[in-house]
Amino acid sequence: MSWALVYSRALAGMSAPLVEVEAHLANGLPAFNIVGLPDTEVKESRDRVRAAIIQSGFDFPARKITVNLAPADLPKESGRFDLPIAIGILAASGQIPAEALKNYELAGELGLSGQIRAVRGVIAMAWAAQKAQRAFILPVANSQQAALLHEATLYGARNLAEVAAHLNQIELIQPITSDNTTPSTHCSVDYPDMADIRGQQTARLALEIAASGGHSLLMSGPPGTGKSMLAQRLPGILPPLTNHELMSVWSLQSLLTSTQQQFSHQRPFRTPHHTASAVALVGGGADPRPGEISLAHHGVLFLDELPEFDRKALEILREPLENGEIHISRAARQVTYPAKFQLIAAMNPCPCGYLGHPKIACRCTVDAIARYRHKISGPLLDRIDLIIEVPSLSSEELFATTSGENSADIQKRVLSARQRQYERQGKINAHLDNKELDQFAHIHQDAKMVLTQILEKLSLSARSFHRLLRIARTLADMAGDQQVDTNHILRAVSFRRAL
Ligand SMILES: Nc1ncnc2c1ncn2[C@@H]1O[C@H](COP(=O)(O)OP(=O)(O)OP(=O)(O)O)[C@@H](O)[C@H]1O
Ligand SMILES: [Mg+2]
Ligand SMILES: [Zn+2]
């Protein structure tokens, strides 16, 4: 046999399309050509593959070698194909059985001595291999991520010789299971605790509402009142990530890194700086990568100093805030990344920060204040559910010795409030569309009248009105009430302060 076919995977957004690596040996002057990779990457790949084969104790065939990667028009990073190319050459030259290869997919970058280096996107690849009912041989450094897929047959390989021995059935590699990967797979997660926060009863409650119904939250207040502290503590009162959520979180992270970095079981908490570019924030680039909003998928996106962010970048957030994903098109390529994040934002009430402060005078002009607030557009504000003030603490609060309620206790209530929502409607309140909200809100007759009055008096936009109703529904769920009553509505209004 002087021909062999090896399966591998490219990466296109979140998916991993099949790549067929064909190796062909012909008589003639010894040569080694690779077709289907960008020219710039071919030479490096050839050098690595040749050295790895020789250093692993195999023969590098002195024949005319042609390797073809198909389809040709997929985005391909060459490194990941080193291992399939090397295995293809070994099979075509009869050093491993070509027949065995049809049940496997392989990916891994080779070092010169044959060791296998980590690659990006293993979760997407392992997932695709599982669906194709083939086993997946991957770099051992990526085992922890791949082990999330309980159903897949996975082998973590250290070097080329190990893979060849496995395919030759001389010495089998032990399949990866979630039990034999690093212990950190099961480690407990550690978040900062709500008990650290003094005072700020309203803000604490707003955070619990946000957690209970999945609502977005904007906090406005002078410097040093605990806004950042509060935001950091949201992941710790949300439910733990499910295995399914963890899989999408890790597969997004694994698109950005090929290192053996240990992924954590914590809910994502992303805090892009306000100088972050639109691409860094929402994703993009020549080979479009996920941005901060996708890294915050199933977690929290904290935008500190909201008005300082580039207005255009903020405008792009409107789409993912509505539908939980982002479409990025670059040249001929279009990718979609999930971005179901919970938005928490913070700002000062004015550029100097002290407007409304009981002791410190604000130094800003009326104009400057107006300009500052104008930076956050109405349509974005319309998409934020809870808007609250986080005032400076009184000295009693500051010196109080009793600590606040801890995260574990708050999380228990959050879980039961969410449970009620799932039982009633199969999702949390923040994810209800307007029609579903009408169906599931269950508004008491008296409350309807109050709502009508509020709608007229505050001349709310339809969108704001529905936000109000969603928060009222969450307040009712937190209290264990079937119906949304007047009290829930009035309290909801107090959590939607006008800026
Ligand atoms: N409510 C609070 N309880 C306990 N500590 C607090 C509180 N508020 C502020 N602090 C202390 O002040 C520090 C600054 O708080 P934090 O960064 O959360 O303020 P901030 O409101 O985000 O301020 P800025 O507007 O400047 O970003 C904290 O590290 C903490 O030590
Ligand atoms: Mg802060
Ligand atoms: Zn000011």
Side-chain angles (χ1 to χ4, degrees):
M1 170 72 91
S2 54
W3 178 86
L5 175 63
V6 187
Y7 296 115
S8 189
R9 298 265 163 195
L11 277 183
M14 293 287 281
S15 63
L18 187 72
V19 171
E20 295 188 347
V21 180
E22 284 176 278
H24 184 249
L25 307 187
N27 293 327
L29 283 179
F32 181 12
N33 291 311
I34 302 177
V35 185
L37 284 182
D39 290 345
T40 47
E41 298 180 20
V42 167
K43 187 181 176 308
E44 288 171 18
S45 183
R46 269 194 323 222
D47 293 348
R48 288 192 303 259
V49 169
R50 191 198 317 262
I53 287 182
I54 295 167
Q55 290 298 318
S56 306
F58 296 100
D59 287 332
F60 190 82
R63 298 175 68 184
K64 186 167 186 284
I65 305 171
T66 308
V67 171
N68 180 36
L69 281 77
D73 59 348
L74 280 174
K76 284 182 278 214
E77 271 167 284
S78 64
R80 65 180 57 240
F81 299 111
D82 290 352
L83 177 62
I85 291 173
I87 290 297
I89 293 173
L90 292 182
S93 56
Q95 302 180 76
I96 55 175
E99 189 47 23
L101 293 173
K102 65 174 191 297
N103 300 319
Y104 289 95
E105 299 189 3
L106 301 98
E109 179 171 327
L110 289 173
L112 297 180
S113 60
Q115 78 273 29
I116 300 173
R117 299 209 180 105
V119 294
R120 294 197 303 128
V122 274
I123 298 178
M125 290 190 282
W127 176 248
Q130 177 193 326
K131 276 197 284 193
Q133 297 189 315
R134 282 189 281 259
F136 181 39
I137 300 180
L138 64 143
V140 74
N142 294 125
S143 301
Q144 186 218 6
Q145 305 152 35
L148 274 181
L149 292 134
H150 297 301
E151 321 268 287
T153 311
L154 307 164
Y155 300 98
R158 270 183 287 268
N159 54 54
L160 180 60
E162 234 177 52
V163 179
H166 178 85
L167 295 170
N168 275 321
Q169 304 213 335
I170 296 171
E171 190 172 354
L172 296 182
I173 304 172
Q174 284 304 305
I176 300 170
T177 63
S178 39
D179 305 328
N180 66 17
T181 48
T182 51
S184 78
T185 317
H186 302 286
C187 74
S188 67
V189 289
D190 213 6
Y191 298 102
D193 203 287
M194 288 290 285
D196 306 337
I197 292 175
R198 294 164 189 268
Q200 303 300 12
Q201 290 312 323
T202 309
R204 292 179 69 104
L205 183 54
L207 207 66
E208 185 173 337
I209 301 170
S212 300
H215 303 288
S216 47
L217 165 68
L218 170 60
M219 298 178 278
S220 166
T225 53
K227 301 183 293 298
S228 298
M229 278 183 91
L230 282 156
Q232 282 155 9
R233 283 158 180 73
L234 177 58
I237 61 171
L238 288 169
L241 286 173
T242 64
N243 198 57
H244 190 79
E245 287 172 334
L246 198 61
M247 206 166 85
S248 26
V249 169
W250 284 12
S251 49
L252 280 155
Q253 291 173 1
S254 88
L255 292 180
L256 289 181
T257 169
S258 61
T259 63
Q260 359 189 339
Q261 165 200 341
Q262 298 274 312
F263 290 166
S264 120
H265 283 229
Q266 301 217 340
R267 234 174 229 287
F269 181 77
R270 305 295 302 188
T271 54
H273 192 254
H274 58 76
T275 54
S277 67
V279 166
L281 207 55
V282 300
D287 167 21
R289 304 266 172 118
E292 288 291 335
I293 61 168
S294 292
L295 294 175
H297 184 54
H298 290 314
V300 175
L301 181 73
F302 179 44
L303 302 183
D304 206 354
E305 305 185 50
L306 186 67
E308 304 296 337
F309 277 81
D310 176 36
R311 195 177 163 135
K312 272 209 224 76
L314 289 184
E315 292 296 302
I316 313 176
L317 290 186
R318 286 158 49 182
E319 180 202 337
L321 274 173
E322 292 282 299
N323 56 23
E325 56 185 27
I326 180 87
H327 304 281
I328 305 167
S329 31
R330 282 288 172 284
R333 206 161 294 151
Q334 161 124 51
V335 297
T336 300
Y337 287 117
K340 209 177 218 177
F341 57 86
Q342 193 169 347
L343 177 66
I344 307 295
M347 63 184 283
N348 295 135
C350 65
C352 85
Y354 291 102
L355 183 69
H357 194 281
K359 303 231 168 64
I360 306 172
C362 165
R363 296 179 271 105
C364 311
T365 64
V366 179
D367 264 5
I369 297 172
R371 241 179 294 122
Y372 182 73
R373 294 187 186 175
H374 183 68
K375 285 195 196 166
I376 320 165
S377 74
L380 179 67
L381 271 185
D382 254 5
R383 283 170 175 79
I384 297 181
D385 296 345
L386 303 153
I387 301 173
I388 60 155
E389 210 175 340
V390 183
S392 45
L393 289 177
S394 65
S395 38
E396 295 97 80
E397 284 174 313
L398 213 50
F399 297 115
T401 44
T402 49
S403 59
E405 198 181 7
N406 65 36
S407 294
D409 290 344
I410 301 173
Q411 188 192 40
K412 283 194 198 111
R413 287 197 300 268
V414 168
L415 291 178
S416 39
R418 284 189 169 224
Q419 185 61 30
R420 288 185 197 106
Q421 299 165 54
Y422 281 116
E423 278 164 15
R424 181 178 60 238
Q425 64 212 16
K427 51 169 92 168
I428 50 175
N429 293 333
H431 297 157
L432 292 176
D433 65 28
N434 294 348
K435 217 170 120 217
E436 292 167 331
L437 188 62
D438 291 339
Q439 182 186 348
F440 294 115
H442 301 301
I443 313 167
H444 190 275
Q445 207 52 42
D446 299 345
K448 275 188 186 153
M449 279 163 47
V450 176
L451 256 179
T452 319
Q453 286 165 10
I454 290 171
L455 192 60
E456 279 166 12
K457 195 154 160 237
L458 301 182
S459 58
L460 295 180
S461 72
R463 190 178 274 124
S464 282
F465 170 75
H466 282 110
R467 303 245 163 235
L468 192 66
L469 196 51
R470 266 187 210 100
I471 297 165
R473 184 59 260 175
T474 299
L475 285 165
D477 287 324
M478 290 167 72
D481 295 333
Q482 295 285 342
Q483 285 202 314
V484 169
D485 63 27
T486 309
N487 179 32
H488 302 135
I489 301 275
L490 294 176
R491 284 177 67 214
V493 175
S494 73
F495 284 101
R496 274 196 68 81
R497 267 181 46 95
L499 274 183

